[in-house]
Amino acid sequence: MDDEDTRDYKEPCPQCSEVNWGLTEESKFYCKSCHTVIEKTKEIDPIETYSLNSKVQSINRGLKRKRKDEKGWDWFVCEAFQFILQKQAEALQKLGVDARIKDDVICNLWRRYLQKNKVAYVKRKLGSLTDSESNASLSEPDSELEAFGLEDNSTGGEISATDRLESATSVCSGSVDGRLFVKENNPLKMSMPLTLAFCYLSLLWLRESITLSDLLRFVFNEHIPYMKAEQYIPDELKIHGPDIKIFQVQYLPEYSVITKKTFELGTFLDLPRFPPITENCYLHPNVLCMKYLMEANLPDELHVWTSRVANKLCLDDATYLTFDPLQERKKMVQYDVQSVALIIVVLKLLFVLDDHTEWTLAECASRSNKNKKGKMLFDYKEWYKTMKVTLDKSQRQLAEEKARFIWKSNRILYYSKNVKGVFTKRKQMARNLHQQFSNLAESAPDDGKQSPSSFLFNWEEENIDMTCFHGHSLEGIMQQNAKTKNSDYWLSSLKKCRTKICKHWTLYDESNFPRSYHFVLSLFCFMLRLELCIVHHEVCSIEYQLFNYKFKGLQKN
Protein backbone atom coordinates (compact mmCIF):
# COMPACT_ATOMS: atom_id res chain seq x y z
CA MET A 1 0.00 0.00 0.00
CA ASP A 2 2.89 2.38 0.85
CA ASP A 3 4.50 1.70 -2.52
CA GLU A 4 1.34 2.78 -4.39
CA ASP A 5 1.05 6.00 -2.42
CA THR A 6 4.73 6.92 -2.65
CA ARG A 7 5.77 5.68 -6.10
CA ASP A 8 5.12 9.06 -7.74
CA TYR A 9 7.43 10.90 -5.27
CA LYS A 10 10.99 10.70 -6.65
CA GLU A 11 12.73 13.33 -4.49
CA PRO A 12 15.83 11.98 -2.67
CA CYS A 13 16.00 11.94 1.13
CA PRO A 14 17.68 15.12 2.44
CA GLN A 15 19.54 13.02 5.02
CA CYS A 16 20.86 9.97 3.11
CA SER A 17 19.97 10.87 -0.53
CA GLU A 18 18.08 7.56 -1.00
CA VAL A 19 14.68 7.32 -2.78
CA ASN A 20 12.95 4.78 -0.57
CA TRP A 21 9.79 6.31 0.91
CA GLY A 22 7.12 4.97 3.24
CA LEU A 23 4.13 6.40 5.14
CA THR A 24 3.72 6.91 8.90
CA GLU A 25 0.42 6.45 10.75
CA GLU A 26 -0.13 10.19 10.35
CA SER A 27 0.30 9.82 6.54
CA LYS A 28 3.66 11.59 6.56
CA PHE A 29 6.48 10.54 4.28
CA TYR A 30 9.52 8.92 5.93
CA CYS A 31 12.71 7.41 4.54
CA LYS A 32 12.87 3.65 5.03
CA SER A 33 16.66 3.76 4.90
CA CYS A 34 17.41 6.34 7.63
CA HIS A 35 13.89 6.79 9.13
CA THR A 36 13.89 10.56 8.54
CA VAL A 37 10.37 12.04 8.60
CA ILE A 38 9.70 14.94 6.22
CA GLU A 39 6.83 17.44 6.08
CA LYS A 40 5.22 15.97 2.93
CA THR A 41 1.96 14.12 3.59
CA LYS A 42 -0.19 11.76 1.56
CA GLU A 43 -2.62 13.48 -0.79
CA ILE A 44 -6.21 12.36 -0.03
CA ASP A 45 -8.81 12.24 -2.79
CA PRO A 46 -11.70 14.64 -2.00
CA ILE A 47 -14.21 11.86 -2.81
CA GLU A 48 -12.78 9.73 0.00
CA THR A 49 -12.84 12.57 2.55
CA TYR A 50 -16.24 11.71 4.01
CA SER A 51 -15.50 8.01 4.42
CA LEU A 52 -12.16 8.78 6.04
CA ASN A 53 -13.53 11.50 8.35
CA SER A 54 -13.08 9.46 11.53
CA LYS A 55 -9.49 8.63 10.57
CA VAL A 56 -8.73 12.30 9.88
CA GLN A 57 -10.06 13.27 13.31
CA SER A 58 -7.85 10.70 15.00
CA ILE A 59 -4.85 12.02 13.05
CA ASN A 60 -5.62 15.56 14.17
CA ARG A 61 -5.80 14.50 17.81
CA GLY A 62 -2.45 12.78 17.42
CA LEU A 63 -0.87 15.95 15.98
CA LYS A 64 -2.12 18.06 18.89
CA ARG A 65 -0.64 15.64 21.38
CA LYS A 66 2.65 15.81 19.55
CA ARG A 67 2.73 19.63 19.74
CA LYS A 68 2.27 19.45 23.50
CA ASP A 69 5.20 17.03 23.74
CA GLU A 70 7.52 19.20 21.66
CA LYS A 71 11.11 18.74 22.76
CA GLY A 72 13.09 21.64 24.13
CA TRP A 73 16.75 22.53 23.87
CA ASP A 74 19.56 21.85 26.27
CA TRP A 75 20.20 25.10 28.11
CA PHE A 76 21.98 26.51 31.14
CA VAL A 77 20.65 28.93 33.74
CA CYS A 78 23.16 31.61 32.75
CA GLU A 79 21.75 31.57 29.20
CA ALA A 80 18.26 32.44 30.41
CA PHE A 81 19.61 35.28 32.55
CA GLN A 82 21.49 36.51 29.50
CA PHE A 83 18.20 36.79 27.59
CA ILE A 84 16.63 38.71 30.50
CA LEU A 85 19.58 41.11 30.77
CA GLN A 86 19.36 41.72 27.02
CA LYS A 87 15.66 42.59 27.26
CA GLN A 88 16.29 44.89 30.24
CA ALA A 89 19.04 46.72 28.34
CA GLU A 90 16.75 47.16 25.33
CA ALA A 91 13.99 48.49 27.60
CA LEU A 92 16.39 51.04 29.10
CA GLN A 93 17.37 52.13 25.60
CA LYS A 94 13.69 52.74 24.82
CA LEU A 95 13.51 54.96 27.91
CA GLY A 96 16.18 57.19 26.39
CA VAL A 97 19.29 55.78 28.05
CA ASP A 98 22.59 55.94 26.16
CA ALA A 99 22.66 53.25 23.46
CA ARG A 100 26.02 52.03 24.75
CA ILE A 101 24.36 50.51 27.81
CA LYS A 102 23.56 47.25 26.03
CA ASP A 103 26.71 46.26 24.13
CA ASP A 104 29.39 48.37 25.80
CA VAL A 105 28.39 48.27 29.48
CA ILE A 106 25.94 45.54 30.56
CA CYS A 107 27.44 43.06 28.12
CA ASN A 108 30.96 43.59 29.45
CA LEU A 109 29.82 43.51 33.07
CA TRP A 110 28.05 40.22 32.37
CA ARG A 111 31.13 38.73 30.71
CA ARG A 112 33.31 39.80 33.60
CA TYR A 113 30.84 38.23 36.03
CA LEU A 114 30.96 34.94 34.14
CA GLN A 115 34.75 35.04 34.13
CA LYS A 116 34.94 35.77 37.87
CA ASN A 117 32.60 32.84 38.56
CA LYS A 118 34.67 30.64 36.19
CA VAL A 119 31.68 29.96 33.97
CA ALA A 120 33.26 31.38 30.80
CA TYR A 121 36.39 33.24 29.61
CA VAL A 122 38.70 31.23 31.88
CA LYS A 123 41.97 29.49 31.13
CA ARG A 124 41.46 25.74 30.94
CA LYS A 125 43.23 22.88 29.30
CA LEU A 126 41.32 21.81 26.24
CA GLY A 127 41.60 18.13 27.13
CA SER A 128 40.08 18.67 30.57
CA LEU A 129 36.80 20.12 29.31
CA THR A 130 33.70 17.99 29.61
CA ASP A 131 30.92 18.21 27.04
CA SER A 132 28.78 20.41 29.29
CA GLU A 133 31.71 22.72 30.11
CA SER A 134 32.73 23.11 26.50
CA ASN A 135 29.21 24.21 25.64
CA ALA A 136 29.17 26.73 28.50
CA SER A 137 31.51 29.26 26.89
CA LEU A 138 29.93 32.41 25.56
CA SER A 139 30.65 34.12 22.27
CA GLU A 140 34.15 35.45 21.72
CA PRO A 141 34.68 38.82 23.45
CA ASP A 142 35.75 41.84 21.45
CA SER A 143 38.02 44.78 22.09
CA GLU A 144 35.31 46.53 24.13
CA LEU A 145 36.18 44.30 27.09
CA GLU A 146 39.30 46.35 27.66
CA ALA A 147 37.13 49.16 29.09
CA PHE A 148 36.63 47.03 32.22
CA GLY A 149 40.01 45.27 32.05
CA LEU A 150 38.46 41.98 30.95
CA GLU A 151 40.80 39.70 29.05
CA ASP A 152 39.87 36.95 26.62
CA ASN A 153 40.97 33.77 28.39
CA SER A 154 38.31 31.51 26.92
CA THR A 155 39.17 28.37 24.99
CA GLY A 156 36.63 29.03 22.28
CA GLY A 157 33.19 27.67 21.58
CA GLU A 158 30.01 29.72 21.29
CA ILE A 159 26.83 29.36 23.21
CA SER A 160 23.60 30.87 21.95
CA ALA A 161 20.16 29.42 22.50
CA THR A 162 18.98 30.69 19.14
CA ASP A 163 21.81 28.94 17.29
CA ARG A 164 21.91 25.79 19.41
CA LEU A 165 21.19 22.44 17.79
CA GLU A 166 17.88 20.99 18.94
CA SER A 167 18.49 18.13 21.32
CA ALA A 168 16.47 15.12 22.33
CA THR A 169 15.88 16.54 25.81
CA SER A 170 12.48 15.76 27.27
CA VAL A 171 9.95 18.57 27.47
CA CYS A 172 10.02 18.36 31.27
CA SER A 173 13.79 18.23 31.73
CA GLY A 174 14.27 21.99 32.26
CA SER A 175 17.75 23.48 32.40
CA VAL A 176 20.83 21.30 32.48
CA ASP A 177 22.19 22.79 35.72
CA GLY A 178 18.98 23.97 37.42
CA ARG A 179 19.05 21.54 40.34
CA LEU A 180 22.72 22.20 41.09
CA PHE A 181 22.18 25.95 40.70
CA VAL A 182 19.46 26.02 43.36
CA LYS A 183 21.71 24.21 45.84
CA GLU A 184 24.72 26.43 45.10
CA ASN A 185 25.85 28.47 48.11
CA ASN A 186 27.15 31.74 46.66
CA PRO A 187 26.28 35.20 48.05
CA LEU A 188 26.40 36.64 44.53
CA LYS A 189 24.65 33.77 42.82
CA MET A 190 22.78 35.01 39.76
CA SER A 191 19.19 35.93 40.58
CA MET A 192 16.46 38.25 39.39
CA PRO A 193 17.36 41.01 41.92
CA LEU A 194 20.96 40.78 40.69
CA THR A 195 19.82 41.61 37.15
CA LEU A 196 18.63 44.98 38.48
CA ALA A 197 22.01 45.42 40.16
CA PHE A 198 23.60 44.99 36.71
CA CYS A 199 21.23 47.62 35.30
CA TYR A 200 21.81 50.12 38.10
CA LEU A 201 25.59 49.62 37.96
CA SER A 202 25.45 50.34 34.23
CA LEU A 203 23.34 53.46 34.77
CA LEU A 204 25.91 54.71 37.30
CA TRP A 205 28.74 54.10 34.85
CA LEU A 206 26.97 56.19 32.21
CA ARG A 207 25.78 58.77 34.79
CA GLU A 208 22.25 58.52 33.47
CA SER A 209 19.27 60.52 34.77
CA ILE A 210 17.66 57.53 36.47
CA THR A 211 17.93 56.92 40.21
CA LEU A 212 17.45 53.54 41.84
CA SER A 213 13.96 54.52 43.04
CA ASP A 214 13.08 55.47 39.45
CA LEU A 215 14.39 52.13 38.23
CA LEU A 216 12.27 50.20 40.72
CA ARG A 217 9.18 52.23 39.84
CA PHE A 218 9.73 51.47 36.14
CA VAL A 219 9.97 47.80 37.09
CA PHE A 220 6.63 47.95 38.91
CA ASN A 221 5.00 49.67 35.93
CA GLU A 222 6.49 46.94 33.69
CA HIS A 223 8.54 49.33 31.59
CA ILE A 224 11.58 47.20 32.45
CA PRO A 225 11.34 43.38 32.26
CA TYR A 226 11.44 41.84 35.73
CA MET A 227 8.00 40.69 36.77
CA LYS A 228 6.86 37.65 34.79
CA ALA A 229 10.48 37.20 33.70
CA GLU A 230 9.79 33.74 32.31
CA GLN A 231 7.92 35.23 29.36
CA TYR A 232 11.13 36.89 28.13
CA ILE A 233 12.90 33.53 27.86
CA PRO A 234 12.52 31.83 24.42
CA ASP A 235 9.89 29.10 24.22
CA GLU A 236 12.53 26.58 23.18
CA LEU A 237 14.02 26.84 26.69
CA LYS A 238 11.49 24.84 28.67
CA ILE A 239 11.16 26.00 32.30
CA HIS A 240 10.57 23.11 34.66
CA GLY A 241 10.81 22.31 38.35
CA PRO A 242 13.79 24.10 39.95
CA ASP A 243 13.88 26.66 37.11
CA ILE A 244 10.56 28.08 38.30
CA LYS A 245 12.06 28.96 41.69
CA ILE A 246 14.93 30.75 39.94
CA PHE A 247 12.99 32.90 37.47
CA GLN A 248 9.49 33.33 38.87
CA VAL A 249 9.19 36.61 40.82
CA GLN A 250 6.56 36.75 43.55
CA TYR A 251 7.40 40.03 45.29
CA LEU A 252 8.57 43.52 44.41
CA PRO A 253 12.31 44.22 44.57
CA GLU A 254 13.44 46.01 47.74
CA TYR A 255 15.51 49.17 47.55
CA SER A 256 17.95 48.13 50.29
CA VAL A 257 18.48 44.70 48.72
CA ILE A 258 19.30 46.11 45.27
CA THR A 259 21.61 48.73 46.82
CA LYS A 260 23.51 46.05 48.72
CA LYS A 261 23.76 43.74 45.72
CA THR A 262 24.95 46.61 43.49
CA PHE A 263 27.71 47.45 45.96
CA GLU A 264 28.73 43.80 46.32
CA LEU A 265 28.64 43.27 42.56
CA GLY A 266 30.90 46.25 41.86
CA THR A 267 33.35 45.06 44.51
CA PHE A 268 33.26 41.46 43.29
CA LEU A 269 34.00 42.50 39.70
CA ASP A 270 36.99 44.64 40.78
CA LEU A 271 35.73 47.52 38.67
CA PRO A 272 37.78 50.72 38.37
CA ARG A 273 36.61 54.06 39.73
CA PHE A 274 33.42 55.18 38.02
CA PRO A 275 33.16 58.50 36.11
CA PRO A 276 32.94 61.37 38.62
CA ILE A 277 29.58 62.78 39.76
CA THR A 278 30.07 66.52 39.19
CA GLU A 279 27.68 69.46 39.68
CA ASN A 280 26.27 69.00 36.17
CA CYS A 281 25.33 65.36 36.77
CA TYR A 282 21.76 64.39 37.53
CA LEU A 283 22.81 62.40 40.63
CA HIS A 284 24.46 65.42 42.26
CA PRO A 285 22.50 66.53 45.38
CA ASN A 286 22.07 70.08 44.04
CA VAL A 287 20.25 68.75 40.98
CA LEU A 288 18.25 66.04 42.76
CA CYS A 289 17.19 68.39 45.58
CA MET A 290 15.77 70.85 43.06
CA LYS A 291 13.96 68.01 41.32
CA TYR A 292 12.36 66.73 44.53
CA LEU A 293 11.50 70.26 45.72
CA MET A 294 9.59 70.79 42.49
CA GLU A 295 7.87 67.43 42.79
CA ALA A 296 6.89 68.05 46.43
CA ASN A 297 5.49 71.48 45.49
CA LEU A 298 7.87 73.32 47.83
CA PRO A 299 9.35 76.83 47.33
CA ASP A 300 12.38 77.12 45.07
CA GLU A 301 14.17 79.20 47.73
CA LEU A 302 14.65 76.05 49.82
CA HIS A 303 17.26 74.95 47.28
CA VAL A 304 19.69 77.54 48.65
CA TRP A 305 19.41 75.92 52.08
CA THR A 306 19.81 72.34 50.85
CA SER A 307 22.94 73.41 48.96
CA ARG A 308 24.35 75.01 52.09
CA VAL A 309 23.79 71.93 54.22
CA ALA A 310 25.22 69.63 51.55
CA ASN A 311 28.28 71.85 51.20
CA LYS A 312 28.81 72.08 54.96
CA LEU A 313 28.81 68.29 55.28
CA CYS A 314 30.80 67.76 52.03
CA LEU A 315 27.92 65.72 50.63
CA ASP A 316 28.37 67.51 47.29
CA ASP A 317 32.03 66.52 46.94
CA ALA A 318 32.76 64.55 43.76
CA THR A 319 35.11 62.19 45.60
CA TYR A 320 32.37 61.29 48.07
CA LEU A 321 29.65 60.97 45.43
CA THR A 322 31.62 58.92 42.88
CA PHE A 323 31.32 55.15 43.22
CA ASP A 324 34.71 53.51 43.63
CA PRO A 325 34.49 49.73 44.25
CA LEU A 326 38.18 49.53 45.12
CA GLN A 327 37.85 52.12 47.87
CA GLU A 328 37.30 50.77 51.38
CA ARG A 329 33.74 51.90 51.97
CA LYS A 330 31.01 49.91 53.70
CA LYS A 331 28.17 51.10 51.51
CA MET A 332 27.44 53.15 48.40
CA VAL A 333 25.79 56.57 48.29
CA GLN A 334 22.00 56.47 48.04
CA TYR A 335 21.64 59.58 45.89
CA ASP A 336 17.85 59.90 45.91
CA VAL A 337 17.43 59.03 49.59
CA GLN A 338 20.18 61.45 50.60
CA SER A 339 18.60 64.28 48.61
CA VAL A 340 15.13 63.96 50.15
CA ALA A 341 16.74 63.61 53.60
CA LEU A 342 18.53 66.92 53.02
CA ILE A 343 15.18 68.55 52.22
CA ILE A 344 13.59 67.14 55.39
CA VAL A 345 16.49 68.39 57.52
CA VAL A 346 16.14 71.88 55.97
CA LEU A 347 12.39 71.86 56.65
CA LYS A 348 13.14 71.02 60.27
CA LEU A 349 15.73 73.82 60.41
CA LEU A 350 13.24 76.40 59.14
CA PHE A 351 9.87 75.11 60.38
CA VAL A 352 11.02 72.80 63.22
CA LEU A 353 8.09 70.41 62.45
CA ASP A 354 7.22 69.96 66.11
CA ASP A 355 3.42 70.34 65.61
CA HIS A 356 3.58 73.89 66.95
CA THR A 357 6.18 76.14 65.33
CA GLU A 358 5.17 75.40 61.72
CA TRP A 359 1.51 76.28 62.43
CA THR A 360 2.48 79.54 64.16
CA LEU A 361 4.57 80.52 61.14
CA ALA A 362 1.69 79.55 58.86
CA GLU A 363 -0.69 81.91 60.67
CA CYS A 364 1.77 84.79 60.27
CA ALA A 365 2.18 84.04 56.56
CA SER A 366 -1.60 83.81 56.11
CA ARG A 367 -2.15 87.26 57.65
CA SER A 368 0.59 88.77 55.49
CA ASN A 369 -0.79 87.22 52.29
CA LYS A 370 -4.26 88.78 52.79
CA ASN A 371 -3.04 92.32 52.10
CA LYS A 372 0.13 91.43 50.20
CA LYS A 373 0.58 92.17 46.52
CA GLY A 374 3.13 90.39 44.38
CA LYS A 375 5.11 87.41 45.66
CA MET A 376 3.18 85.32 48.18
CA LEU A 377 4.71 84.08 51.42
CA PHE A 378 4.91 80.33 51.88
CA ASP A 379 2.04 79.11 54.04
CA TYR A 380 2.82 75.67 55.52
CA LYS A 381 -0.83 75.07 56.44
CA GLU A 382 -2.07 75.64 52.87
CA TRP A 383 0.75 73.49 51.51
CA TYR A 384 -0.18 70.72 53.94
CA LYS A 385 -3.82 70.79 52.82
CA THR A 386 -2.86 70.63 49.15
CA MET A 387 -0.34 67.82 49.54
CA LYS A 388 -2.56 65.83 51.92
CA VAL A 389 -5.30 65.55 49.29
CA THR A 390 -2.79 64.69 46.57
CA LEU A 391 -0.98 62.11 48.71
CA ASP A 392 -4.17 60.35 49.86
CA LYS A 393 -5.45 60.12 46.29
CA SER A 394 -2.13 58.76 44.98
CA GLN A 395 -1.88 56.22 47.79
CA ARG A 396 -5.37 54.88 46.99
CA GLN A 397 -4.48 54.59 43.31
CA LEU A 398 -1.26 52.73 44.14
CA ALA A 399 -3.12 50.33 46.44
CA GLU A 400 -5.61 49.58 43.66
CA GLU A 401 -2.80 49.00 41.16
CA LYS A 402 -1.10 46.54 43.50
CA ALA A 403 -4.40 44.74 44.12
CA ARG A 404 -5.05 44.39 40.38
CA PHE A 405 -1.51 43.35 39.53
CA ILE A 406 -1.25 39.88 37.97
CA TRP A 407 1.96 38.14 39.04
CA LYS A 408 1.64 35.11 36.77
CA SER A 409 2.50 35.22 33.08
CA ASN A 410 0.65 33.36 30.34
CA ARG A 411 3.62 31.11 29.66
CA ILE A 412 3.22 27.42 30.43
CA LEU A 413 5.51 26.34 33.26
CA TYR A 414 6.26 22.63 33.53
CA TYR A 415 6.03 22.00 37.26
CA SER A 416 5.79 18.22 36.85
CA LYS A 417 3.65 15.76 34.94
CA ASN A 418 1.51 15.12 38.03
CA VAL A 419 0.70 18.70 39.03
CA LYS A 420 0.81 20.46 35.66
CA GLY A 421 -2.93 20.08 35.13
CA VAL A 422 -3.70 21.40 38.63
CA PHE A 423 -1.61 24.54 38.15
CA THR A 424 -3.07 25.17 34.70
CA LYS A 425 -6.59 24.95 36.13
CA ARG A 426 -5.70 27.32 39.00
CA LYS A 427 -4.22 29.83 36.58
CA GLN A 428 -7.37 29.79 34.44
CA MET A 429 -9.54 30.17 37.57
CA ALA A 430 -7.48 33.15 38.77
CA ARG A 431 -7.78 34.77 35.35
CA ASN A 432 -11.57 34.30 35.36
CA LEU A 433 -11.90 35.73 38.88
CA HIS A 434 -9.83 38.75 37.91
CA GLN A 435 -12.11 39.37 34.94
CA GLN A 436 -15.24 39.02 37.10
CA PHE A 437 -13.97 41.48 39.71
CA SER A 438 -13.12 43.94 36.96
CA ASN A 439 -16.67 43.68 35.65
CA LEU A 440 -18.08 44.20 39.16
CA ALA A 441 -15.98 47.33 39.50
CA GLU A 442 -17.46 48.49 36.15
CA SER A 443 -13.99 48.98 34.73
CA ALA A 444 -12.14 46.90 32.20
CA PRO A 445 -8.56 45.90 33.09
CA ASP A 446 -6.10 48.45 31.80
CA ASP A 447 -3.64 46.70 29.48
CA GLY A 448 -1.83 49.93 28.64
CA LYS A 449 1.24 51.02 30.59
CA GLN A 450 1.65 54.42 32.17
CA SER A 451 3.99 56.70 30.33
CA PRO A 452 7.42 56.49 32.00
CA SER A 453 8.40 59.63 33.89
CA SER A 454 10.84 60.53 36.66
CA PHE A 455 8.20 62.83 38.15
CA LEU A 456 5.39 61.31 40.18
CA PHE A 457 3.70 64.70 40.75
CA ASN A 458 3.61 67.49 38.18
CA TRP A 459 2.65 70.99 39.33
CA GLU A 460 3.44 72.91 36.16
CA GLU A 461 0.10 72.17 34.51
CA GLU A 462 -2.72 74.62 35.19
CA ASN A 463 -4.99 73.28 37.91
CA ILE A 464 -7.72 75.42 39.49
CA ASP A 465 -8.10 73.20 42.55
CA MET A 466 -4.40 72.89 43.40
CA THR A 467 -2.00 75.69 44.33
CA CYS A 468 1.58 75.69 43.08
CA PHE A 469 3.99 76.90 45.80
CA HIS A 470 7.18 76.94 43.70
CA GLY A 471 7.39 80.75 43.51
CA HIS A 472 6.39 81.45 47.09
CA SER A 473 8.82 83.32 49.33
CA LEU A 474 10.43 82.35 52.64
CA GLU A 475 10.89 86.02 53.59
CA GLY A 476 8.34 85.84 56.38
CA ILE A 477 10.16 83.00 58.08
CA MET A 478 13.45 84.89 57.92
CA GLN A 479 11.79 87.93 59.49
CA GLN A 480 10.25 85.85 62.26
CA ASN A 481 13.59 84.23 62.97
CA ALA A 482 16.49 86.55 62.28
CA LYS A 483 18.48 83.40 61.88
CA THR A 484 17.72 79.73 62.33
CA LYS A 485 18.18 78.72 65.95
CA ASN A 486 19.71 75.30 66.33
CA SER A 487 18.43 75.25 69.93
CA ASP A 488 14.89 74.77 68.56
CA TYR A 489 15.96 71.83 66.43
CA TRP A 490 14.92 68.44 67.79
CA LEU A 491 16.89 65.36 66.82
CA SER A 492 15.20 62.46 65.10
CA SER A 493 17.37 59.98 66.97
CA LEU A 494 18.45 60.34 70.59
CA LYS A 495 21.97 59.06 70.11
CA LYS A 496 24.07 56.94 67.85
CA CYS A 497 24.65 53.49 69.23
CA ARG A 498 28.28 52.40 69.28
CA THR A 499 27.59 48.72 68.74
CA LYS A 500 27.76 47.63 65.12
CA ILE A 501 24.92 45.13 65.39
CA CYS A 502 22.40 47.61 66.86
CA LYS A 503 19.48 48.49 64.60
CA HIS A 504 18.42 51.56 66.59
CA TRP A 505 18.55 53.86 63.57
CA THR A 506 16.81 51.52 61.19
CA LEU A 507 13.59 51.42 63.23
CA TYR A 508 10.82 53.98 62.98
CA ASP A 509 7.80 54.26 65.26
CA GLU A 510 5.24 56.87 64.21
CA SER A 511 4.03 57.39 67.77
CA ASN A 512 7.44 58.73 68.84
CA PHE A 513 7.51 61.64 66.38
CA PRO A 514 5.43 64.77 65.65
CA ARG A 515 2.66 64.38 63.10
CA SER A 516 4.09 67.08 60.86
CA TYR A 517 7.41 65.25 60.63
CA HIS A 518 5.61 61.98 59.93
CA PHE A 519 3.59 63.58 57.13
CA VAL A 520 6.67 65.08 55.44
CA LEU A 521 8.52 61.77 55.81
CA SER A 522 5.55 59.85 54.37
CA LEU A 523 5.30 62.21 51.42
CA PHE A 524 8.90 61.77 50.33
CA CYS A 525 8.87 58.04 51.03
CA PHE A 526 5.82 57.70 48.80
CA MET A 527 7.53 59.69 46.06
CA LEU A 528 10.45 57.24 46.16
CA ARG A 529 8.23 54.21 46.94
CA LEU A 530 10.37 53.40 49.98
CA GLU A 531 9.80 52.30 53.56
CA LEU A 532 9.73 55.06 56.16
CA CYS A 533 12.69 53.66 58.06
CA ILE A 534 15.04 54.02 55.05
CA VAL A 535 14.60 57.80 54.65
CA HIS A 536 14.35 58.29 58.43
CA HIS A 537 17.70 56.53 58.84
CA GLU A 538 19.30 58.90 56.32
CA VAL A 539 17.80 61.92 58.13
CA CYS A 540 19.37 60.66 61.37
CA SER A 541 22.71 60.23 59.61
CA ILE A 542 22.72 63.82 58.31
CA GLU A 543 21.65 65.17 61.68
CA TYR A 544 24.44 63.29 63.39
CA GLN A 545 26.99 64.97 61.12
CA LEU A 546 25.34 68.39 61.36
CA PHE A 547 24.80 68.41 65.15
CA ASN A 548 27.54 66.12 66.33
CA TYR A 549 28.04 68.16 69.50
CA LYS A 550 24.44 67.46 70.57
CA PHE A 551 24.95 63.74 70.18
CA LYS A 552 28.15 63.94 72.21
CA GLY A 553 26.25 65.72 74.98
CA LEU A 554 23.53 63.07 74.98
CA GLN A 555 26.07 60.26 75.10
CA LYS A 556 27.74 61.82 78.15
CA ASN A 557 24.40 61.95 79.89
Side-chain angles (χ1 to χ4, degrees), residues 486-502:
N486 291 339
S487 58
D488 295 335
Y489 193 98
W490 56 273
L491 297 174
S492 299
S493 182
L494 294 180
K495 63 180 180 179
K496 181 180 180 182
C497 299
R498 296 180 179 180
T499 56
K500 295 181 180 179
I501 60 174
C502 181

Side-chain angles (χ1 to χ4, degrees), residues 439-466:
N439 294 336
L440 288 173
E442 297 181 354
S443 61
D446 185 13
D447 296 332
K449 298 179 182 179
Q450 297 179 1
S451 300
S453 174
S454 296
F455 284 85
L456 189 63
F457 302 128
N458 187 3
W459 302 96
E460 296 299 329
E461 298 178 0
E462 295 183 1
N463 194 330
I464 301 176
D465 299 328
M466 298 295 178

